[in-house]
Amino acid sequence: KAGVTQTPRYLIKTRGQQVTLSCSPISGHRSVSWYQQTPGQGLQFLFEYFSETQRNKGNFPGRFSGRQFSNSRSEMNVSTLELGDSALYLCASTLRLGDNYGYTFGSGTRLTVV
Amino acid sequence: AQSVAQPEDQVNVAEGNPLTVKCTYSVSGNPYLFWYVQYPNRGLQFLLKYITGDNLVKGSYGFEAEFNKSQTSFHLKKPSALVSDSALYFCAVREAGSQGNLIFGKGTKLSVKP
């Protein structure tokens, strides 16, 4: 079966712009999580969606937002980009909230803000 | 609050030698524990998990991990390291029955030299 698909793989944006990243989970998976990965901070949790509702949220400013559609696909948006937003953004899916299957990750979107 | 600690930023091992990557955790109740591996510019790949039962868990690529409740540890091990095992390894935890997100450690870089 197809894995978690993230698009685009690479993005270069200018400070002040906004960006939208997309994630298509494994078929049948209804929970989608987003993480930001940087060399200094490691993996930081952004948010988790289930059934089109945000269920968990990390400690990020309001510039970071997301949504989930009825087909479980998810998007995250970052507005007013800052240099510090440069990171690998990872999406992960699982069957449902709190299950014991663990996450399946996509390959990530590498965002560079210049 | 839940947390994961990976006390070593880097572990260096000679090919053919056994390897251990350490992980300790903190949760209020029983844990679900996971190990993931990340190769450069890729997402995280699932290696193994502990949910319940036997404390020794076997996973992909010859890796195994031992759950130790008294020491709140879940160290990753492999009897004989390969150069191709060189990667970034993440330990993660969630409290059993919780619908919270997975909490990841900061990662340990494993370097296996020929």
Side-chain angles (χ1 to χ4, degrees), chain B residues 34-49:
Chain B
F34 304 84
W35 274 103
Y36 289 84
V37 60
Q38 185 181 34
Y39 298 99
N41 295 314
R42 301 302 302 270
L44 277 66
Q45 297 177 30
F46 171 79
L47 276 179
L48 50 80
K49 66 180 180 183

Side-chain angles (χ1 to χ4, degrees), chain A residues 12-111:
Chain A
I12 300 176
K13 290 287 187 179
T14 304
R15 272 183 304 173
Q17 287 187 312
Q18 74 166 17
V19 67
T20 299
L21 312 181
S22 178
C23 172
S24 293
I26 289 176
S27 177
H29 282 194
R30 296 174 60 198
S31 176
V32 174
S33 297
W34 290 89
Y35 287 82
Q36 181 196 65
Q37 185 179 15
T38 58
Q41 298 296 320
L43 278 167
Q44 292 191 283
F45 172 70
L46 281 155
F47 22 67
E48 183 170 25
Y49 286 87
F50 180 76
S51 294
E52 302 176 64
T53 303
Q54 188 180 93
R55 302 300 180 126
N56 295 300
K57 189 177 189 303
N59 188 27
F60 276 81
R63 300 186 296 108
F64 291 81
S65 62
R67 59 178 175 169
Q68 186 181 35
F69 302 95
S70 58
N71 62 357
S72 295
R73 189 177 72 86
S74 177
E75 290 181 347
M76 67 163 283
N77 184 78
V78 187
S79 62
T80 320
L81 283 166
E82 300 177 359
L83 295 179
D85 296 334
S86 295
L88 181 66
Y89 289 87
L90 292 166
C91 165
S93 74
T94 190
L95 280 170
R96 57 184 181 274
L97 285 179
D99 66 29
N100 63 12
Y101 297 102
Y103 292 173
T104 301
F105 282 83
S107 293
T109 295
R110 172 75 63 185
L111 172 65

Side-chain angles (χ1 to χ4, degrees), chain B residues 48-98:
Chain B
L48 50 80
K49 66 180 180 183
Y50 171 82
I51 302 301
T52 187
D54 194 350
N55 288 344
L56 184 62
V57 178
K58 295 188 182 296
S60 308
Y61 313 119
F63 284 94
E64 58 188 29
E66 186 167 11
F67 171 62
N68 187 318
K69 188 171 185 177
S70 63
Q71 296 185 4
T72 61
S73 67
F74 190 55
H75 301 331
L76 181 70
K77 300 182 180 185
K78 188 174 182 180
S80 179
L82 300 172
V83 172
S84 57
D85 292 330
S86 298
L88 190 56
Y89 290 80
F90 290 93
C91 181
V93 69
R94 177 196 285 132
E95 183 176 345
S98 161

